[in-house]
Amino acid sequence: MTGGVAARARITATREGLAVLSGEGPLAPRRTRAADGGLRVTLVGAMSGPLGGDRLAVEVDVRAGARLTVDAAAATVALPGPAGGAARYDVRLTVAAGAVLYWLPGPLVSAAKSVLVLRTEAELAEGARLVLREEAVLGRHGEAPGTLTSRLSVRYAGVPLLDQETASGPGAAPGWDGGAVLGGHRAVGQLLCVDPEFAEKPVAARPLGDTAALMPLAGPGALATAVADDGLGLRRALDAGLAALGG
């Protein structure tokens, strides 16, 4: 896979502030005002991407005692590149003991004929907290979806907490759009909350409407998953999950 852009963004948050804030190519992190007294960084798309053949990476390191929110100015749209081939987007999150990270990157739109492999890895120390939201919209209005493979791996205190992979679009395993998976819906997402308190007081499993559910994990975490007809419906379902966890 050649002809794509290779770019990386790095964010390091400490008690004192942002020690590192850098980006390349389409990845342009900008410091913005936080409403909760912590630190906030907004990812701004400096150019179209990811395109087929691109290699993008975001590395976030939240040091002990820091509180960081990372969000996005707009949706990310995966597009086919002129050279063809798959794009890769790697996200690496590291959260120290006593630190808090809100990873809220905004929706990912899988445009027709695009191929994207998204890998998110989170390494949490004991006593770390994380809120992570992933939203995928399969195709723009009136078009077929591209091929999207997304894997999320989370470790807490050195022990696996969650490791799952989903695939949709042309090339995915048969049945990806069937009744047992998406059931014809065009938006799918999840909200992961990791908090040491969940180890002692696990979240009760419950439905969140007709196409979403909240469930406890085998460890200090809870996971809300949802499908919806569009991105707005998906966001509402995941917001309901966050509200059920106390916001």
Side-chain angles (χ1 to χ4, degrees):
M1 297 159 189
T2 60
V5 171
R8 180 175 67 163
R10 297 175 60 226
I11 304 167
T12 300
T14 69
R15 292 178 188 268
E16 292 73 29
L18 291 170
V20 177
L21 185 63
S22 65
E24 302 169 336
L27 301 173
R30 299 288 185 262
R31 179 166 185 170
T32 48
R33 181 173 297 180
D36 62 358
L39 302 168
R40 179 184 173 197
V41 172
T42 298
L43 294 173
V44 177
M47 55 190 287
S48 296
L51 305 177
D54 286 356
R55 294 292 181 269
L56 307 181
V58 178
E59 300 173 3
V60 180
D61 185 5
V62 189
R63 305 280 174 84
R67 182 183 184 94
L68 174 67
T69 298
V70 181
D71 57 14
T76 297
V77 183
L79 297 166
R88 186 174 181 95
Y89 200 144
D90 293 308
V91 177
R92 176 72 176 177
L93 312 174
T94 304
V95 189
V100 182
L101 172 62
Y102 290 85
W103 175 251
L104 311 171
L108 171 62
V109 181
S110 177
K113 299 182 180 179
S114 67
V115 181
L116 176 63
V117 178
L118 171 65
R119 177 68 185 265
T120 303
E121 297 182 346
E123 188 72 37
L124 311 180
E126 186 172 1
R129 290 173 169 82
L130 171 69
V131 175
L132 178 150
R133 185 177 64 211
E134 288 189 340
E135 301 164 294
V137 179
L138 308 179
R140 294 170 293 190
H141 181 72
E143 74 173 9
T147 299
L148 174 63
T149 302
S150 175
R151 183 164 185 174
L152 173 61
S153 302
V154 182
R155 291 170 61 88
Y156 180 86
V159 178
L161 178 64
L162 178 66
D163 193 350
Q164 65 179 23
E165 180 175 290
T166 59
S168 58
W176 66 268
D177 197 28
V181 188
L182 295 182
H185 295 90
R186 294 179 59 87
V188 57
Q190 57 191 352
L191 177 82
L192 170 68
C193 294
V194 182
D195 191 307
E197 293 183 3
F198 292 152
E200 299 296 329
K201 299 178 181 179
V203 172
R206 73 193 79 170
L208 300 169
D210 294 333
T211 59
L214 177 66
M215 66 192 79
L217 299 177
L223 182 69
T225 57
V227 295
D229 292 332
D230 53 31
L232 180 59
L234 178 64
R235 176 65 62 86
R236 287 172 174 166
L238 296 181
D239 282 349
L242 187 60
L245 294 169

